[in-house]
Amino acid sequence: MKIKYITGILATCMMLLSACSLNYDPLSDYSDVTVGGSDESGEGVAYKNRAEMLSRYENMYTRMRDNQEHWCLDFLLLAECHSDNAYAGTTGAEVVPFETNSIDGGNSVLERDWERYLTDIATANRIICYIDDVPDATFPQSEREQWKAEAKIYRAMILFTMARIWGDFPVITEVGEDITSENIEEVYPQYFPQQNTEEEAYEQIEKDLLEALIYAPDNTGDKTRLSKSVARALLAKVYAEKPIRDYSKVIKYCDELTAEGFRLTDNYDDLFGMNAEGTDAKMRNTVESILEIQYTSGSGNWVAWMFGRDLIDWDYQFSWAKWVTPSRDLVRAFDNEGDEIRKNEAIVYYDCNWSNYYPSNNYAFTYKYRSGVNSIIKLRMADILLLKAEALILQDAPDLAGAASIINSIRNRVGLGNLPSSVTGSKENMLDALLTERRLELALEGERWFDLCRHDKVEEVMNGLNRRDTGRLPLVNPYTEYSYRLPIPQLILDENDNLVQNPGY
């Protein structure tokens, strides 16, 4: 047995037990020492009753709410700063490479994200794999099926994120057994899984979501739950991606969400604004929101002060440079369209004590996450509608008029006019208009990098960016066909000989 493998197991266990250093309202991971235990065969964890499984189920939602560092903070660093929408913001060695395209396998952000996404998957797997075996006659089968469906949606959401970041990675759908002296030869390989292909990952994502649609709860207006609506939205996004692309299904699931009553809010500000008194979010659970993470006073939305000011506590943690600084190129994109409403909801200017990218007396900050009580919206209908427009443009028989109608409705909401006929009559011009509209509508929400990847636009857009944006740090490496995937963390490769680094790193 290799010493590095033993060390890897211990290191992983310690990592999963440790609290996030930036999480000021931490909740310990679910403990199988206090709830659940080895069954008589010694194979894994058995839950004795509904109450124990309920704790596991509730913990899944708690993780989704409280673990903001990897799925919000780091996710926006990757999707916005690694694109033309934002600068890194700080001078940290772990952050700057996302802006300068110098990320390597030693990047600490990617290392923690890999580990935490796998912990998220493990959280879902314990529900999926064990819930049917809970020996509690008072635990109804309908409830078991619902909770399992919600866990499959959660697992699919995480797998989708990992697939878009890394491409090939281990798709883990089982719970590793406890290692004992008697079973070590059999169980040991479970801790060092084989690497699945990107296509295999998407097959599992599709399978999870389609199975979840049968038993997941209906949307009841509480947008914090993993409902059928969330599954449909994820399916629309998944079918737009190259490994499993099916534009007819993008349209199908968008139309099903429309039939459920999802639509654009009347005012863009309803999504991100504060109430008139400045003490709370303006709205939660809007007709546009499909999945959101909600916070109230003291409940822990700390990413607000990682991006700028927390408007509930004006000076709190505002003495150091922030992440994800909006770029001049993004500002120019808003200005070119005369798009003041969305610009002012996405970007705000403050005085500060640093001048990394802008003068300190007029410094740009990300503004969509503006207080500790504002929701983080993970899925919303504008994104799905624009994916339907994308599908209408790129399907075998393009429907440019239908796509234009969708894009115009989104433009009209923020006071912009319809696309001109010189655009709507050309498939190529319509695709350009669609990508521009997605950039402005979804700015600083974590979609831009993945839009560029989905349309093979990375080299075209990013290699000429320094000529268009003089405030950006110089590229260390040009973008190539290998840039569409990020490197697998080197520590993970060192621990598992079954994994192969992505080409180009």
Side-chain angles (χ1 to χ4, degrees):
M1 182 181 298
K2 295 183 180 180
I3 296 296
K4 70 177 181 180
Y5 286 174
I6 299 175
T7 303
I9 291 175
L10 293 175
T12 299
C13 292
M14 290 301 294
M15 185 173 296
L16 298 184
L17 290 173
S18 65
C20 167
S21 61
L22 289 177
N23 191 341
Y24 274 42
D25 186 20
L27 182 75
S28 298
D29 283 339
Y30 191 95
S31 172
D32 292 318
V33 174
T34 58
V35 179
S38 296
D39 62 19
E40 292 180 358
S41 68
E43 296 182 355
V45 176
Y47 297 92
K48 296 187 292 293
N49 51 49
R50 178 187 179 278
E52 290 191 354
M53 184 53 72
L54 176 62
S55 294
R56 170 61 66 184
Y57 168 77
E58 291 176 338
N59 181 66
M60 178 178 69
Y61 280 98
T62 299
R63 280 193 63 83
M64 190 165 67
R65 185 191 67 227
D66 290 351
N67 286 266
Q68 303 156 38
E69 189 169 32
H70 62 296
W71 64 256
C72 183
L73 180 64
D74 294 354
F75 186 73
L76 293 186
L77 173 69
L78 187 164
E80 303 295 344
C81 303
H82 201 44
S83 77
D84 48 354
N85 273 2
Y87 313 126
T90 73
T91 57
E94 78 282 14
V95 175
V96 168
F98 286 86
E99 179 181 347
T100 61
N101 196 35
S102 55
I103 308 167
D104 59 32
N107 186 275
S108 61
V109 171
L110 289 182
E111 182 181 313
R112 77 173 169 222
D113 291 351
W114 178 282
E115 293 286 1
R116 291 179 184 182
Y117 283 131
L118 288 182
T119 303
D120 292 336
I121 291 170
T123 299
N125 285 345
R126 288 186 178 275
I127 299 171
I128 296 165
C129 295
Y130 291 135
I131 196 167
D132 288 333
D133 297 326
V134 177
D136 185 343
T138 68
F139 192 0
Q141 186 63 28
S142 60
E143 195 169 44
R144 295 176 194 242
E145 295 289 359
Q146 178 183 317
W147 293 2
K148 188 196 301 186
E150 291 171 73
K152 287 183 177 181
I153 295 171
Y154 186 64
R155 182 169 71 184
M157 184 166 60
I158 304 304
L159 290 172
F160 181 44
T161 300
M162 293 189 75
R164 292 205 289 177
I165 295 173
W166 288 291
D168 300 346
F169 66 98
V171 177
I172 301 172
T173 59
E174 302 293 335
V175 178
E177 300 171 37
D178 294 336
I179 294 180
T180 67
S181 58
E182 289 78 18
N183 69 9
I184 188 168
E185 293 297 330
E186 176 186 354
V187 174
Y188 184 72
Q190 296 177 10
Y191 287 81
F192 306 98
Q194 297 288 331
Q195 193 167 8
N196 294 92
T197 66
E198 184 179 22
E199 290 73 19
E200 289 170 334
Y202 273 91
E203 287 173 6
Q204 184 63 49
I205 294 163
E206 179 186 36
K207 181 175 184 291
D208 277 350
L209 293 173
L210 292 176
E211 290 177 353
L213 270 177
I214 301 171
Y215 296 108
D218 293 328
N219 165 48
T220 62
D222 178 0
K223 307 302 178 64
T224 68
R225 311 310 291 180
L226 295 165
S227 64
K228 283 182 171 66
S229 305
V230 174
R232 290 186 175 106
L234 287 170
L235 282 165
K237 292 177 73 69
V238 165
Y239 284 124
E241 297 293 331
K242 286 180 282 187
I244 199 171
R245 182 166 287 162
D246 188 330
Y247 288 130
S248 67
K249 291 180 180 177
V250 175
I251 296 167
K252 165 185 163 65
Y253 287 109
C254 178
D255 288 347
E256 288 184 6
L257 287 167
T258 300
E260 285 188 60
F262 290 96
R263 60 176 178 81
L264 301 179
T265 61
D266 293 334
N267 299 302
Y268 194 70
D269 176 66
D270 292 345
L271 298 166
F272 311 105
M274 303 286 290
N275 64 7
E277 296 76 24
T279 58
D280 199 358
K282 181 179 179 182
M283 296 183 71
R284 298 182 179 90
N285 297 317
T286 68
V287 294
E288 183 169 341
S289 177
I290 301 170
L291 176 65
E292 64 183 66
I293 318 301
Q294 295 178 3
Y295 304 91
T296 55
S297 180
S299 67
N301 182 359
W302 52 264
V303 296
W305 51 260
M306 287 297 297
F307 297 131
R309 290 189 183 276
D310 182 342
L311 298 188
I312 300 294
D313 194 349
W314 185 255
D315 290 321
Y316 182 67
Q317 297 287 345
F318 198 67
S319 60
W320 39 271
K322 304 302 180 179
W323 288 31
V324 192
T325 299
S327 70
R328 289 171 177 81
D329 195 64
L330 177 60
V331 173
R332 185 180 303 111
F334 280 118
D335 290 344
N336 287 345
E337 291 293 324
D339 192 350
E340 289 298 313
I341 291 176
R342 289 186 295 197
K343 174 184 173 182
N344 291 335
E345 291 297 319
I347 303 169
V348 66
Y349 292 84
Y350 297 127
D351 288 345
C352 62
N353 297 324
W354 58 93
S355 55
N356 295 341
Y357 295 94
Y358 292 93
S360 61
N361 64 350
N362 193 39
Y363 204 92
F365 294 89
T366 293
Y367 196 47
K368 285 184 173 177
Y369 314 87
R370 62 192 65 170
S371 84
V373 297
N374 282 89
S375 297
I376 297 173
I377 300 175
K378 292 296 289 180
L379 294 166
R380 65 184 178 95
M381 196 59 185
D383 178 15
I384 308 305
L385 285 168
L386 286 170
L387 286 176
K388 178 181 177 180
E390 183 174 312
L392 292 173
I393 294 167
L394 294 175
Q395 64 185 358
D396 290 339
D399 179 1
L400 301 186
S405 178
I406 293 172
I407 295 172
N408 287 338
S409 69
I410 290 173
R411 291 173 58 83
N412 295 164
R413 174 171 63 169
V414 293
L416 300 181
N418 291 345
L419 296 172
S421 58
S422 59
V423 170
T424 58
S426 161
K427 178 178 176 178
E428 291 72 22
N429 290 345
M430 278 293 291
L431 181 58
D432 289 342
L434 179 280
L435 290 174
T436 296
E437 201 61 34
R438 284 187 61 82
R439 186 184 188 190
L440 302 182
E441 175 68 25
L442 304 170
L444 307 174
E445 295 181 45
E447 294 296 328
R448 179 59 173 172
W449 171 255
F450 302 111
D451 284 352
L452 296 179
C453 290
R454 190 169 65 257
H455 293 283
D456 297 318
K457 296 280 189 179
V458 168
E459 300 97 318
E460 174 188 332
V461 170
M462 298 304 298
N463 283 333
L465 184 55
N466 282 113
R467 294 191 297 273
R468 304 192 307 273
D469 189 339
T470 56
R472 195 172 186 85
L473 296 175
L475 282 182
V476 172
N477 300 303
Y479 288 86
T480 71
E481 70 272 21
Y482 300 127
S483 302
Y484 290 72
R485 295 179 177 183
L486 271 64
I488 295 172
Q490 188 60 47
L491 177 63
I492 305 302
L493 294 172
D494 292 342
E495 291 175 354
N496 186 354
D497 285 344
N498 292 318
L499 302 184
V500 177
Q501 182 59 278
N502 281 326
Y505 297 102

